Amino acid sequence: MLPYLTRFNERSPSALHRLADLMDGEDDYMESETRRLYSRFVTRENDFHSWSAEWFAGVHVALQRRLIKLILNYLSAGGDSMDFLKVEQIRRAVLRPATGQSYNGYRAGDSVYQGI
């Protein structure tokens, strides 16, 4: 792919290298922030994780997704291998007011506290 891109811009390889470095640092920050939010706002009892629905709704969507994946990893539910669409379905279910709905065994809580 790089030889093809170099035909259009000879600086493509160095630009992609800089982008990879930038993304690596940003991923480290997002991972750290996710773990900080988890330890501060998520309560774990046995294998049930809960948090304030109001708080979660105010968290940036990128961090909501990372929190869900982190919790799924803690539950050994394959959060790393969970594709975007499944994480998004869980995230939207968690943000919904209590409806009694579940997604593959993960149940949203009531409108005050949500959980997986």
Side-chain angles (χ1 to χ4, degrees):
M1 172 74 90
L2 282 178
Y4 179 75
L5 292 174
T6 305
R7 286 189 215 165
F8 299 101
N9 184 342
E10 63 188 37
R11 292 182 284 187
S12 292
S14 62
L16 289 172
H17 181 69
R18 286 191 309 272
L19 179 60
D21 287 343
L22 176 74
M23 295 301 295
D24 188 43
E26 290 187 7
D27 186 57
D28 287 347
Y29 169 76
M30 291 293 286
E31 182 66 26
S32 172
E33 184 65 7
T34 301
R35 290 184 185 280
R36 185 188 72 77
L37 291 174
Y38 176 87
S39 65
R40 185 166 178 206
F41 295 102
V42 177
T43 302
R44 181 178 181 175
E45 289 185 35
N46 298 317
D47 282 338
F48 187 78
H49 297 73
S50 61
W51 56 85
S52 159
E54 183 178 347
W55 167 78
F56 190 75
V59 172
H60 191 279
V61 65
L63 289 168
Q64 289 177 351
R65 291 181 184 123
R66 284 179 175 255
L67 281 162
I68 290 168
K69 289 185 84 161
L70 178 64
I71 291 167
L72 293 174
N73 281 334
Y74 286 150
L75 294 172
S76 298
D80 280 339
S81 64
M82 179 108 12
D83 70 26
F84 173 82
L85 292 176
K86 290 177 185 170
V87 169
E88 189 64 10
Q89 286 175 329
I90 294 169
R91 187 185 74 80
R92 288 180 185 202
V94 168
L95 289 171
R96 266 188 228 121
T99 60
Q101 294 181 353
S102 65
Y103 175 79
N104 286 353
Y106 304 109
R107 182 180 56 81
D110 60 32
S111 61
V112 177
Y113 291 98
Q114 301 286 22
I116 295 177

